[in-house]
């Protein structure tokens, strides 16, 4: 379950009234109000999309006629108006033809009862690209209260044709939710200088308040000074004197006063509610691989031919580096960092790669980023992704968030290409590389 704060029938504030906007409510995806997807008859992971445009929930269908995901909502769906649900998904091309290449959406009650569900199917019309599917369940009579969504890939797959099919989910949305309590979604703004409590239930907040008091702490204990609080119809905004960093844990408490919604429901006091940290990622360019090595040194390579300061294949006026894969199993570009990085703070790195079309299938045409100490493999931290796009620049992202490093800091890194190449089919593949970016250094 996400970071919800419940309000029942119970700092200096600037009170502002704003209009309420009713439309599709995002359940899953950016600013989604629901918890995580839960798989059945298959596996679920967070994986970079084939288009390398970010990481998303990916369901891989297993054996069984009905395999998919369940999304539990924090309260009951309000189906008194629109009953249209939208799912933005990317279905990877299956290994063979599917008799039933459809997505089924079912709206179910808390007991996940299929007998009372509202359901509709949509045909998968395109593979390997994002498509928004619309499901209108208006023709189904309401038989119960509904609070779950079920998405099934290739229902009635008795022959197992769809086993292994992968579905990426970018966004799931639909009608709003209703509750005896008011639900708030807690997050920071992109700049990190606000805690925002968004109302995700139907009724607006009443701006007639009685000296409510909020407290904000970071990293478990440190109080954060509050500058001002604004109450709007659909949110409470807590302005802070100093911004958070992207890596910091944030919690909010409500300890005194009175805020209600327009129906008279009053906020229950709460303590240490988790706040989703959405501070924008700010990256430094460590090197352009064209001679401007602002934050690295000792650039070298093994397992292939490396040249720095060559012409960009698409822009002769720009200098980059190139690496031609040798016959070795492992090949990499390695370098030292001018200052140490904390792997729990510096969690996201990006680099641009242009891979020339090899004209053949390469088994492990991968790119790895490894964080290391003195360019040794002991206790290194590793992330990788496939290279599937040729003859154009692609920016690859490596996110180490949630990993458990065995070292407190790292002072070097390696970028491995076309590895491991045990069958030597990557030999001779040409990679251009530029613009390695990462977070701020410990002593920056």
């Amino acid at each position: 379950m996400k970071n919800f704060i419940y309000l029942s029938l119970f700092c200096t504030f600037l009170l502002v009234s704003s209009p309420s906007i009713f439309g599709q409510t995002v359940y899953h995806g950016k600013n989604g109000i629901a918890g995580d997807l839960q798989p059945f008859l298959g596996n679920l992971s967070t994986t970079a999309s084939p288009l390398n445009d970010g990481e998303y929930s990916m369901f891989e269908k297993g054996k069984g006629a009905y395999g998919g995901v369940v999304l539990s909502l924090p309260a009951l769906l309000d189906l008194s108006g629109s009953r249209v649900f939208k799912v933005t998904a990317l279905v990877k091309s299956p290994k063979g033809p599917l008799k039933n290449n459809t997505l089924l959406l079912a709206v179910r009650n808390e007991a996940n009862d299929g007998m009372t569900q509202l359901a509709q199917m949509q045909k998968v019309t395109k593979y390997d690209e994002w498509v928004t599917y619309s499901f209108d369940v208006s023709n189904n009579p309401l038989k119960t209260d509904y609070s779950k969504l079920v998405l099934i890939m290739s229902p009635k797959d008795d022959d197992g044709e769809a086993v292994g099919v992968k579905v990426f989910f970018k966004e799931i949305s639909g009608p709003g939710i209703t509750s005896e309590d008011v639900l708030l979604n807690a997050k920071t703004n992109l700049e990190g200088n606000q805690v925002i409590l968004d109302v995700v239930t139907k009724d607006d907040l009443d701006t007639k308040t009685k000296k409510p008091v909020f407290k904000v702490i970071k990293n478990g204990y440190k109080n954060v000074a509050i500058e001002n609080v604004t109450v709007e119809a659909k949110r409470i905004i807590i302005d802070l004197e100093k911004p958070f960093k992207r890596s910091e844990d944030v919690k909010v408490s409500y300890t005194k006063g009175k805020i209600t919604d327009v129906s008279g429901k009053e906020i229950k006091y709460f303590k240490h509610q988790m706040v989703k940290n959405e501070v924008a990622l700010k990256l430094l360019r460590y090197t352009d691989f064209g001679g401007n090595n602002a934050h690295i040194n000792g650039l070298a390579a093994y397992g292939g031919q490396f040249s720095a300061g060559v012409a960009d294949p698409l822009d002769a006026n720009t200098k980059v580096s190139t690496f031609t894969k040798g016959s070795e199993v492992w090949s990499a570009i390695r370098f030292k960092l001018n200052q140490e990085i904390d792997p729990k703070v510096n969690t996201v790195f990006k680099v641009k790669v242009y891979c020339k079309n090899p004209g053949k299938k390469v088994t492990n045409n991968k790119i790895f980023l490894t964080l290391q100490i003195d360019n040794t493999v002991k206790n290194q931290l590793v992330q990788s992704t496939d290279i599937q796009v040729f003859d154009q620049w692609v920016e690859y992202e490596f996110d180490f968030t949630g990993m458990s490093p065995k070292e407190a800091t790292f002072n070097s890194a390696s970028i491995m290409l076309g590895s491991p190449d045990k069958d030597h089919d990557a030999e001779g593949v040409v990679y251009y590389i530029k613009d390695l970016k990462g977070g701020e250094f410990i002593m920056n």
Side-chain angles (χ1 to χ4, degrees), residues 40-280:
F40 59 95
L41 297 180
N43 297 311
L44 187 75
S45 61
T46 301
T47 308
S49 85
L51 304 181
N52 292 297
D53 58 351
E55 291 193 340
Y56 303 94
S57 297
M58 186 273 287
F59 173 75
E60 183 174 359
K61 188 173 173 66
K63 294 181 179 179
Y66 295 88
V69 295
V70 178
L71 183 63
S72 296
L73 302 174
L76 300 178
L77 282 162
D78 180 3
L79 300 179
S80 59
S82 171
R83 299 184 197 172
V84 175
F85 298 82
K86 294 183 179 180
V87 178
T88 301
L90 181 153
V91 181
K92 288 199 69 175
S93 296
K95 294 179 181 179
L98 299 177
K99 294 177 184 176
N100 192 9
N101 59 332
T102 58
L103 275 172
L104 180 146
L105 179 137
V107 186
R108 294 183 178 176
N109 60 13
E110 183 63 28
N112 204 13
D113 178 14
M115 298 300 294
T116 58
Q117 71 180 15
L118 315 176
Q120 190 182 48
M121 287 193 292
Q122 292 292 346
K123 186 175 181 179
V124 176
T125 55
K126 297 179 181 178
Y127 294 113
D128 302 315
E129 62 182 271
W130 293 112
V131 177
T132 298
Y133 299 91
S134 183
F135 302 84
D136 189 345
V137 297
S138 300
N139 292 331
N140 296 268
L142 300 179
K143 299 178 181 179
T144 183
D145 293 326
Y146 298 91
S147 62
K148 291 182 184 291
L149 298 181
V150 177
L151 284 159
I152 296 173
M153 179 64 203
S154 294
K156 299 182 181 180
D157 185 38
D158 297 303
D159 298 331
E161 292 179 338
V163 172
V165 170
K166 297 178 179 179
V167 185
F168 291 79
F169 294 102
K170 178 183 283 189
E171 186 174 283
I172 302 171
S173 64
I177 58 177
T178 183
S179 172
E180 292 181 0
D181 301 310
V182 178
L183 304 182
L184 299 177
N185 192 12
K187 64 182 181 182
T188 70
N189 65 343
L190 296 177
E191 294 75 22
N193 59 358
Q194 292 179 340
V195 170
I196 300 172
L197 307 177
D198 283 320
V199 179
V200 298
T201 36
K202 184 176 180 179
D203 291 325
D204 293 350
L205 294 179
D206 188 340
T207 56
K208 296 178 181 179
T209 63
K210 293 185 179 180
K211 298 181 180 179
V213 175
F214 290 91
K215 292 183 179 179
V216 177
I217 61 172
K218 65 179 182 180
N219 300 329
Y221 70 95
K222 190 172 182 179
N223 287 319
V224 179
I226 294 176
E227 199 171 66
N228 190 56
V229 178
T230 303
V231 175
E232 298 179 354
K234 280 295 177 184
R235 60 172 40 181
I236 300 170
I237 301 172
I238 304 172
D239 294 307
L240 309 172
E241 289 187 0
K242 294 182 179 180
F244 295 113
K245 294 180 180 178
R246 186 173 181 268
S247 60
E248 290 179 317
D249 294 324
V250 184
K251 294 181 180 180
V252 61
S253 299
Y254 171 52
T255 58
K256 294 181 181 179
K258 183 177 181 180
I259 305 176
T260 65
D261 67 9
V262 294
S263 69
K265 299 170 187 175
E266 184 180 337
I267 297 180
K268 294 176 181 177
Y269 298 144
F270 55 85
K271 287 187 177 181
H272 307 315
Q273 173 68 37
M274 289 295 300
V275 177
K276 185 178 180 181
N277 190 326
E278 294 192 346
V279 175

Side-chain angles (χ1 to χ4, degrees), residues 288-430:
D288 63 3
F289 283 106
N292 181 17
N293 301 324
H295 298 290
I296 72 166
N297 64 85
L299 192 58
Y302 64 87
Q305 183 178 350
F306 175 74
S307 300
V310 304
D312 184 318
L314 300 182
D315 181 4
N317 296 319
T318 300
K319 300 299 181 183
V320 297
S321 289
T322 186
F323 181 82
T324 302
K325 178 77 172 68
S327 60
E328 291 82 354
V329 174
W330 293 96
S331 303
I333 302 167
R334 60 187 180 186
F335 46 88
K336 299 286 179 62
L337 301 170
N338 290 351
Q339 294 168 288
E340 292 183 332
I341 58 173
D342 181 341
K344 292 184 178 180
V345 175
N346 299 62
T347 58
V348 177
F349 300 81
K350 296 182 179 183
V351 67
K352 295 177 182 177
V353 174
Y354 177 109
C355 181
K356 291 188 68 174
N357 194 331
K360 60 180 180 180
K361 181 175 177 58
V362 177
T363 305
N364 282 325
N365 196 22
K366 293 179 175 291
I367 176 172
F368 291 76
L369 178 67
T370 64
L371 305 181
Q372 301 169 322
I373 294 179
D374 298 330
N375 285 126
T376 59
V377 299
K378 183 179 179 181
N379 293 339
Q380 68 182 3
L381 215 57
V382 183
Q383 285 282 27
S384 68
T385 189
D386 292 326
I387 295 176
Q388 299 179 329
V389 179
F390 303 111
D391 299 329
Q392 68 185 64
W393 286 106
V394 176
E395 186 172 63
Y396 296 95
E397 180 174 307
F398 304 88
D399 191 345
F400 295 87
T401 303
M403 297 186 71
S404 301
K406 295 181 180 179
E407 302 289 349
T409 61
F410 292 103
N411 63 5
S412 56
S414 295
I415 297 172
M416 291 183 284
L417 295 160
S419 300
D421 187 28
K422 294 180 180 180
D423 54 7
H424 305 291
D425 60 3
E427 185 175 351
V429 176
V430 178

